[in-house]
Amino acid sequence: MAMDNTVLTAREYGKVHIRLKELMDARDMTRNELARAANTRFEVVDKWYRGSVEKIDADVLARFCFVLGCQVEDVIQYETK
């Protein structure tokens, strides 16, 4: 398989959308409440809430899913367009 040196744009390979805000809003949960319940810092929850996560920490994601009673695919969605 040959590799070319082309840089792909987001529209070519899609993007990952973080849906934590929607899940929390539906449960009427604040970022402070989730931070306490998931035993993590507010700043970590805030990054996820704003969708500005650069690297996904599987442990943090698992704690969010446990607290919110949801699945990984409820929090993270891959969009091709």
Side-chain angles (χ1 to χ4, degrees):
M1 178 177 191
M3 296 285 292
D4 63 24
N5 292 329
T6 305
V7 175
L8 299 175
T9 61
R11 69 179 171 272
E12 292 173 328
Y13 62 84
K15 71 176 206 166
V16 172
H17 178 66
I18 307 293
R19 297 192 63 245
L20 188 66
K21 179 183 184 324
E22 293 92 331
L23 292 168
M24 290 174 60
D25 290 351
R27 290 163 176 77
D28 203 29
M29 179 178 265
T30 68
R31 287 172 279 180
N32 278 321
E33 290 170 335
L34 181 58
R36 281 192 301 273
N39 194 29
T40 192
R41 297 181 347 229
F42 174 87
E43 293 80 12
V44 172
V45 174
D46 188 53
K47 277 189 173 189
W48 282 78
Y49 186 85
R50 291 184 289 113
S52 63
V53 176
E54 293 176 13
K55 295 182 182 180
I56 295 176
D57 183 328
D59 183 61
V60 169
L61 178 57
R63 287 188 260 160
F64 290 165
C65 289
F66 178 78
V67 170
L68 295 170
C70 65
Q71 299 296 312
V72 169
E73 58 269 19
D74 297 326
V75 180
I76 298 175
Q77 291 184 336
Y78 172 68
E79 299 173 353
T80 56
K81 291 185 179 187

